Amino acid sequence: MQNRIKDLRTIYDLTQDELAERLEVSRQTIISLEKGRYNPSIMLAYKISKVFMCRIEDVFIFEEEEKNG
């Protein structure tokens, strides 16, 4: 799943460390999220959306996989 965390973090002028501290996660978690290697729990996604004052759907881009028929 793609996300806009890095873009939003830049807009809000937050470092990875600062965002990690606000979310009570490690900086490594933020790095993994930004690189798309880790999909957050719904609770973490909610916390991220609250930090950036937007909806979860504004942070995370869900692309449904095409099914072969």
Side-chain angles (χ1 to χ4, degrees):
M1 179 177 354
Q2 295 181 352
N3 66 67
R4 299 182 53 230
I5 295 173
K6 186 173 183 177
D7 294 335
L8 290 165
R9 187 173 55 75
T10 302
I11 290 166
Y12 280 77
D13 197 30
L14 292 172
T15 66
Q16 289 175 331
D17 284 323
E18 290 168 334
L19 181 57
E21 188 175 314
R22 285 191 188 193
L23 297 172
E24 300 176 330
V25 298
S26 70
R27 181 172 168 262
Q28 190 61 43
T29 298
I30 301 303
I31 292 167
S32 294
L33 284 166
E34 288 183 356
K35 292 187 176 188
R37 286 193 239 141
Y38 171 70
N39 289 328
S41 67
I42 192 70
M43 191 52 113
L44 181 53
Y46 175 78
K47 286 181 179 181
I48 292 167
S49 71
K50 289 302 165 200
V51 167
F52 297 128
M53 295 182 280
C54 62
R55 301 174 308 153
I56 291 174
E57 305 91 274
D58 296 329
V59 179
F60 297 93
I61 300 119
F62 177 73
E63 294 175 353
E64 202 170 330
E65 290 183 40
E66 290 184 32
K67 295 180 181 177
N68 296 330

